[in-house]
């Protein structure tokens, strides 16, 4: 959920208040005084999130935060494909960095799935398929600590995405270059 103060212009996800350092509070206060106009406060949810992006830029947020934020925005704008894809493009290098850090278990499966899906969405089907293939063979520990291969939830998601790819390009030969 989003908390927004119409008087000061401060906006934040609800669980971020504890993370504000004194230095960030000072910087944010000065930035908001200069950049926020209470007569033009964001009203719609999307507008509040767009404002939140600007406010969070003034904070010391890490790649993990921005990856999640961009993924949220890609979802929020799912009805506006161009806007959604702008956020997908922002998330992709952060997801690749997360994969390069060699996450384990479900985290690795999640990152591989997202890299596959986002590459699929930007028209990089082969790359998407490669990430999906890696995801299918990635291991994780179940609730009992037993090592399993391929998580059922993500396997179902990949199956849906692979079906979409079949529908999107049923006849690759003769279809021309559709990148």
């Amino acid at each position: 959920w989003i908390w927004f103060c119409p008087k000061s212009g401060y906006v934040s996800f609800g669980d971020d208040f504890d993370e504000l350092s004194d230095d960030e509070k000072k910087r944010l206060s000065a930035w908001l005084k200069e950049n926020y106009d209470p007569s033009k406060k964001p009203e719609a949810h999307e507008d509040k999130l767009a404002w939140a992006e600007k406010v969070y830029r003034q904070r010391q947020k890490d790649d993990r935060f921005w990856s999640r934020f961009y993924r949220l925005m890609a979802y929020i704008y799912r009805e506006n494909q161009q806007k959604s894809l702008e956020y997908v493009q922002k998330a992709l290098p952060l997801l690749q960095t997360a994969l390069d850090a060699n996450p384990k278990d479900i985290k690795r499966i999640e990152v591989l799935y997202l890299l596959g899906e986002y590459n699929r969405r930007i028209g990089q089907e082969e790359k998407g398929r490669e990430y999906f293939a890696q995801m299918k063979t990635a291991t994780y520990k179940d609730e009992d600590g037993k090592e399993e291969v391929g998580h059922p939830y993500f396997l179902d998601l990949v199956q849906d995405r692979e079906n979409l790819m079949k529908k999107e390009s049923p006849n690759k030969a003769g279809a021309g270059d559709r990148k």
Side-chain angles (χ1 to χ4, degrees), residues 23-39:
D23 183 48
E24 282 181 312
K25 288 176 190 176
K26 287 179 192 174
R27 255 195 343 271
L28 268 174
S29 180
W31 185 86
L32 287 167
K33 283 178 186 171
E34 190 160 317
N35 292 281
Y36 176 67
D37 180 353
S39 69

Side-chain angles (χ1 to χ4, degrees), residues 78-111:
R78 66 193 174 276
E79 300 298 321
N80 178 341
Q81 185 173 1
Q82 180 181 347
K83 190 81 167 167
S84 179
L85 289 177
E86 288 174 21
Y87 284 103
V88 164
Q89 292 281 14
K90 290 179 178 184
L92 272 168
L94 300 175
L95 288 165
Q96 185 61 57
T97 298
L99 182 62
D100 293 345
N102 199 23
K104 303 293 183 216
D105 298 318
I106 294 295
K107 244 348 217 183
R108 181 173 190 78
I109 291 171
E110 177 186 26
V111 170

